[in-house]
Amino acid sequence: MESLIDTNAVRMGRSILHIDINNFYASVEIRDDPSLRDLPVAVCGDREARHGIILAKNYKAKAYGVKTAETIFEAKRKCPDIVLVPSHFEKYEQITIETRKLLSTYSDRVEPFGMDEAWIDISPYAPTSVDTRAIADEIRRKYVSEFGLTASVGASFNKVFAKLGSDMKKPDATTVITPADFRAVVWPLPVDDLLFVGSSTKSTLNARGVKTIGDLANTDEALVRSWLGKNGVALRRAANGLDTSSVVPTGGEGAMKSIGNSFTPPSDINDLDEALALLQSISESVSYRMRKHGVLAGTVVLSVRDNSLITFERQAKLPCPSAIAIELRNAAFELLKANYQWHRPIRSLGIRATALTDAASPLQTSLFLDHEARNRRFSFENAVDEIRNAHGKTSILAGRVFAQKKVEGAIHLDGLYALR
Ligand SMILES: [Mg+2]
């Protein structure tokens, strides 16, 4: 008689999955245009602008050495036949929301990590490694059938090893790391494969002969503390499988910590009028997405990059939580006026809305604001959203944006997008 007990099953303690969509943006573009499937493909911020960068690439482009965040120029030098496709952030965002919804059907403990990654704690439903793998595989199959995207899933008894596992086999694979085999599986890997070991921590460790995760696990704790302080001690514990951090549910819209956009116009910005027009355009694209997601910003962060590529950020708390473009724009403009000396022209500007709250939750109101005017403005901007939804992003433009042709592109929601 066949045994009902799977002898390979190992008790997990906790069962945590880390799901990572493979080459997210590039995979979405290829999914929607299968003629790209066998070509080296990169998704870029803005093909026309001088400083377009690579935001994502597929495996074919990766084989040529093309890297995320390098310039289009560099990528073309490595791979002259590379196919550059523009980004479609609203589409990626929608998929992010849908995938989180799917994950939340498995457990209420889902913690997003960027747009295309998330941890999910399935401990109550998957006591053993066999159950854990079954759920991981099922989620992967659903990503393919429901979203047309492949994902790599790491499954382990803590978050750090789950994350590590999702990097081990790509694409479309599950890697299970159990309390019984983590020493054999994880310890031979380079120490910087461990979450939160950045390049400076890596060089500190490597200089002292600590090359692998196993080396770190087996180095005396006091020694690690003397090199790296208490962060080092935490890393050493993680290397020993002792990471106890929990999956912090921030599911649904609450997962979004900020909504932002930045734009590099085809030529530099030389004065406040041009800057104001660009901020107008960016704040419209940011507030459009905020209204779509039903969130309000408590704080506006302005980022400025001058033409020597020096960047700074300044932030301001809004008098009242808002998704009104003109309020975001004014806050950003005040920050610019107060903080930028115009020693150099500006290369790019960005606005990020943070301290997000649910638009449906009761507002903190300020006595000093004209609520009727704000409501009218909000309705007006909603009407603009509808016109744009029906007739295209540039069907209706603010006068000052129309007057400054070079900032018009910002309304296309290209450029860098922050979701943290
Ligand atoms: Mg990914």
Side-chain angles (χ1 to χ4, degrees), residues 243-256:
D243 161 45
T244 56
S245 60
S246 40
V247 175
V248 181
T250 48
E253 298 299 311
M256 213 172 285

Side-chain angles (χ1 to χ4, degrees), residues 259-265 269 275 278-279 282 286 299-306 309-316 328-329 331-337 339-340 345-354 415-418 420:
I259 291 180
N261 193 10
S262 69
F263 188 72
T264 306
I269 295 157
L278 181 53
L279 291 174
I282 295 170
V286 172
T299 300
V300 168
V301 183
L302 169 76
S303 63
V304 180
R305 176 179 299 226
D306 72 19
L309 303 184
I310 291 173
T311 306
F312 75 88
E313 284 196 347
R314 291 291 181 277
Q315 60 175 46
L328 306 185
R329 184 205 75 182
F333 191 53
E334 291 307 317
L335 286 168
L336 182 73
K337 282 195 290 188
N339 293 289
Y340 197 63
I346 293 173
R347 172 67 41 93
S348 73
L349 288 171
I351 293 177
R352 213 164 71 236
T354 66
L416 295 179
Y417 169 71
R420 293 177 198 173

Side-chain angles (χ1 to χ4, degrees), residues 20-24 116-117:
D20 183 350
I21 301 175
N22 305 121
N23 304 332
F24 183 38
D116 63 328
E117 299 179 28

